[in-house]
Amino acid sequence: MKRTRPLTLVLLGIPGALIGFFLEIGLASAGQPIISLPLSLSITLVAAGAIVVVLAVPIARAIRGTNPNPINPFRAMRVAVLAKASSMVGSLIAGFGLGIVVYLLSRSVVPAVSSLWTSIAAAVAGAILLACGLVAEKLCTLPPEDKDPDLREPLPDRRLS
């Protein structure tokens, strides 16, 4: 599995921001109430990020040799995929929250301050989930192998004399 590229995260964050912004415009134009993100979303995103990092720590210890217990490779792969998904979802939600914040700040009459703060909290929590996903992905990465054959230890000579 390849590491998550920054371009991928940006390409997910920008559409998230556009969707959040234009969804609010569409709802306001239709006379519907705008989206007010709940505070529980932010709390859940931060908790999910912490859980991803906690799941990745034993794998990092096993890779570095400080954990004497072997790690199931399927578990390690699941945690690595979860870390990658967390970074992508965090980017999308951070963009969505930023889109809503931009919409709220661009109005001549600002809606309730509580909706502004919960949208900012959702954007920050999305960024925290993104960071936790990247950290967990780094913890699950195997160290690079030596590609230079000249630097390897020579094999013992096994010729029969």
Side-chain angles (χ1 to χ4, degrees), residues 100-156:
I100 292 175
V101 168
V102 168
Y103 170 78
L104 292 174
L105 293 176
S106 67
R107 302 295 99 197
S108 58
V109 177
V110 179
V113 176
S114 64
S115 62
L116 178 64
W117 287 113
T118 56
S119 299
I120 292 172
V124 169
I128 289 172
L129 179 63
L130 170 106
C132 288
L134 291 176
V135 166
E137 194 175 332
K138 172 73 174 159
L139 290 175
C140 293
T141 303
L142 291 173
E145 292 188 23
D146 189 16
K147 304 262 183 197
D148 190 6
D150 296 333
L151 297 176
R152 291 186 193 152
E153 300 253 343
L155 294 174

